[in-house]
Amino acid sequence: MKQVKRYRWSIILFMVIAALVIWKRPIGVDAFTISVTNLKEMLLLVPPIFVLMGLMDVWIPKETLTKYMGKGSGVLGYLIALVLGSVAAGALYIAFPIASLLMKKGARLSIVLFFLGVWSTSKLPVLLFEIASLGLPFTLIHVGVNLPLSLLFAFLIEKIEKTESVDALREKAPDRA
């Protein structure tokens, strides 16, 4: 019963797709095909990310990460988050385990939030595609608006959030090693 509860949304999704295949076959087949494609993509991307996270967890001591991305890191921590988020590959759901690891190792909340903002809006591969598709002026405006806003909101959230809830968030972050 615990497994059913744990996977209830997957089961519900499967039942909805099965119902669609029965009543609206073309839509159901499309939904099934898209779901399988997304699952394959996720299964190809997630294991290497977890391996990378395991290596980061072992290779980068907590003290080093705290020094460069923790409370006293200053601008350097945000620059590291900018580089990490910019050179990223993959969908945003891959960034969350990395953000969890950063939190667990003592990174400042605003730096982790800025990293997520950069990952979601300013990855280099996406920017190159955006320049080719929408033009350089659009991309410059997009990045020029999104990066400062990501930084501003990261600071605001860190300022508003209570220390106890940030500590609780750190505690909830799973150990990787």
Side-chain angles (χ1 to χ4, degrees), residues 119-137:
W119 185 302
S120 66
T121 62
S122 303
K123 289 184 293 202
L124 286 176
V126 173
L127 292 179
L128 294 173
F129 176 76
E130 195 173 280
I131 290 169
S133 300
L134 302 170
L136 183 60

Side-chain angles (χ1 to χ4, degrees), residues 1-2 41 51 62 76 78 86 103 128 130 149 166:
M1 196 61 183
K2 188 177 181 182
E41 179 184 318
V51 169
K62 183 175 183 172
L76 181 60
Y78 295 96
S86 294
M103 285 296 294
L128 294 173
E130 195 173 280
L149 284 177
V166 174

Side-chain angles (χ1 to χ4, degrees), residues 10-33:
S10 297
I11 294 167
I12 290 169
L13 176 65
F14 178 78
M15 290 174 13
V16 167
I17 291 174
L20 277 172
V21 168
I22 293 168
W23 284 296
K24 300 274 187 173
R25 188 162 189 81
I27 295 172
V29 170
D30 285 347
F32 178 77
T33 305

Side-chain angles (χ1 to χ4, degrees), residues 69-86:
M69 295 182 86
K71 271 281 190 221
S73 63
V75 175
L76 181 60
Y78 295 96
L79 289 175
I80 292 170
L82 178 68
V83 170
L84 280 177
S86 294

